[in-house]
Amino acid sequence: MTATALRHDWTLQEARDLFNLPFNDLLFRAQTVHREHFDPNEVQVSTLLSIKTGACPEDCKYCPQSGHYNTGLEKEKLLEIEKVVAEARAAKQKGASRFCMGAAWRSPSKKDMPYVLDMVKQVKSLGMETCMTLGMLKEEEAQELAEAGLDYYNHNLDTSEKYYNHIITTRTYQDRLDTLDNVRKAGMKVCCGGIMGMGEDEDDRVGLLVQLANLPQHPESVPVNMLVKVKGTPLENVEDLEPFDFIRMIAVARIMMPASHVRLSAGREQMNEQMQSLCFMAGANSIFYGEKLLTTSNPEADADMQLFRKLGIRPEQREQCATEEQETEALAEAVEYEATRHMFYDATRESA
């Protein structure tokens, strides 16, 4: 099977045409592309920890951490490094291969950078991939993070450039693109996506995906968030997103960025198992795992693993030097998988 070629010249009309395909045709095409680049029954698992919460100077209308809105969220100081490492160790034991750390900053300050760099080094030493979201980055800040060993930097575009000013006014769309460019130049991988359900129309969703897919290099990770409405924010009463529109977004993202991990991110708690399963069918192959997603709740880890078992999905494993205990555990998991694989039908195989 020849893999679908990566493209960086998508037009708005091409993306619209994908969105408007009959639902079954769209999912079939997305799943076909997905299988060309990934194991369809593996999902990358990440855990996200807020290392500094609240009092952010930005005015993002969806965010409970913004200092512009009264959401009842208490301001917290930067977490101690030991606490962060302990959380990372616990996340790894629960099956996470990547640990993401987020701080409610416009950009990191000089006084906080040494602590942040040490967090990266210590989490990395656990054998986990590392990711951070700290706001805007200058070239030298991106370089420092890269030298500390940071694997991924998350900086979402949120929505289309056309709709952007309806959501945020304290930083520009170009500011975000400049940060992504600084991250790339430093040699780190990019985690960049957006949020659905903020009152945007289909053309805004199309515009976001075209912007992402036409970057010089596709983001390695594309988080697709469904708005979590938080009391006290300007978007608390926005109309609910149609679930099928969200699944279409996942599918079109998969088709336009075939080799990227497409992540089910915020909003999963509002999705039932059937909706999440359709998202996996549409090409989602990454989730945040655990009880909290920054300051909004996320489905409990046990529920995630129960769903994985129902679907025959297993967590994607990061390639690394394993300890003897890890190898033993992995072997036990492999034996269990082999013992139960007959329960799942491989739709790619032709019938005899």
Side-chain angles (χ1 to χ4, degrees):
M1 182 186 293
T2 304
T4 301
L6 304 189
R7 289 180 49 190
H8 304 271
D9 60 351
W10 289 92
T11 67
L12 287 170
Q13 189 56 52
E14 284 178 308
R16 285 190 198 103
D17 290 344
L18 289 174
F19 264 92
N20 292 326
L21 283 172
F23 187 72
N24 285 343
D25 292 348
L26 176 60
L27 256 61
F28 179 80
R29 182 166 172 183
Q31 177 67 197
T32 301
V33 171
H34 185 52
R35 287 171 179 267
E36 293 171 0
H37 293 269
F38 294 98
D39 183 327
N41 296 311
E42 283 192 352
V43 171
Q44 189 275 325
V45 176
S46 298
T47 293
L48 179 58
L49 175 70
S50 179
I51 60 172
K52 190 273 175 186
T53 303
C56 180
E58 305 285 16
D59 68 351
C60 309
K61 290 184 179 178
Y62 54 81
C63 187
Q65 302 214 60
S66 172
H68 294 257
Y69 317 124
N70 182 15
T71 62
L73 186 70
E74 293 187 11
K75 177 182 176 181
E76 296 176 4
K77 295 179 181 178
L78 185 65
L79 276 185
E80 296 171 1
I81 293 173
E82 292 78 9
K83 289 184 179 178
V84 173
V85 175
E87 291 282 352
R89 189 175 288 111
K92 184 179 180 182
Q93 290 172 349
K94 291 180 180 178
S97 60
R98 186 180 306 163
F99 194 68
C100 307
M101 295 158 274
W105 291 326
R106 177 176 171 82
S107 57
S109 67
K110 282 189 176 181
K111 72 177 178 66
D112 287 321
M113 275 300 281
Y115 297 99
V116 166
L117 299 175
D118 198 17
M119 286 178 189
V120 173
K121 293 172 184 175
Q122 294 208 34
V123 172
K124 185 95 170 174
S125 73
L126 300 176
M128 301 184 79
E129 288 183 318
T130 53
C131 177
M132 280 192 159
T133 177
L134 312 171
M136 293 184 288
L137 291 183
K138 299 173 184 174
E139 278 192 53
E140 56 270 26
E141 292 166 338
Q143 192 60 47
E144 282 184 280
L145 287 166
E147 289 172 1
L150 188 66
D151 297 294
Y152 287 80
Y153 193 80
N154 167 258
H155 200 64
N156 289 334
L157 292 179
D158 288 346
T159 188
S160 69
E161 187 170 11
K162 174 172 67 75
Y163 193 63
Y164 183 82
N165 284 340
H166 293 275
I167 304 300
I168 304 141
T169 65
T170 49
R171 77 172 80 165
T172 67
Y173 209 69
Q174 189 59 49
D175 286 335
R176 292 180 180 262
L177 292 171
D178 289 346
T179 289
L180 295 178
D181 187 48
N182 291 337
V183 168
R184 278 286 181 223
K185 284 190 285 191
M188 290 182 287
K189 295 174 183 176
V190 168
C191 175
C192 183
I195 306 172
M196 308 304 110
M198 299 190 294
E200 77 284 347
D201 59 25
E202 184 180 295
D203 257 15
D204 293 312
R205 295 170 199 151
V206 166
L208 170 63
L209 290 183
V210 168
Q211 182 74 59
L212 291 170
N214 287 350
L215 289 170
Q217 187 175 346
H218 292 166
E220 283 82 1
S221 183
V222 181
V224 183
N225 300 273
M226 187 167 73
L227 178 69
V228 177
K229 292 184 274 191
V230 178
K231 186 175 178 59
T233 63
L235 297 181
E236 65 173 300
N237 296 314
V238 72
E239 186 177 343
D240 287 343
L241 180 68
E242 163 59 53
F244 285 107
D245 288 343
F246 184 87
I247 299 165
R248 284 180 179 275
M249 187 74 178
I250 294 283
V252 177
R254 168 51 65 220
I255 293 167
M256 293 175 68
M257 292 169 279
S260 301
H261 278 80
V262 177
R263 176 180 294 145
L264 277 184
S265 209
R268 265 201 317 127
E269 191 174 54
Q270 279 75 51
M271 302 178 196
N272 61 25
E273 289 186 339
Q274 291 75 19
M275 181 177 174
Q276 291 185 61
S277 301
L278 281 172
C279 288
F280 293 136
M281 185 72 181
N285 63 337
S286 178
I287 63 166
F288 273 122
Y289 175 73
E291 296 177 359
K292 283 199 172 181
L293 185 59
L294 287 185
T295 58
T296 59
S297 57
N298 202 37
E300 291 186 2
D302 286 348
D304 293 333
M305 289 300 102
Q306 288 171 14
L307 178 58
F308 276 23
R309 282 191 287 271
K310 289 178 183 179
L311 300 178
I313 285 175
R314 39 190 198 282
E316 180 182 289
Q317 298 298 309
R318 183 187 179 208
E319 291 184 12
Q320 56 183 288
C321 295
T323 64
E324 185 176 342
E325 291 80 10
Q326 289 170 326
E327 288 176 348
T328 301
E329 184 178 359
L331 180 60
E333 289 175 355
V335 169
E336 180 184 1
Y337 171 66
E338 288 297 327
T340 58
R341 64 185 299 180
H342 68 280
M343 298 167 61
F344 307 103
Y345 170 68
D346 185 349
T348 64
R349 294 180 60 184
E350 295 182 4
S351 57

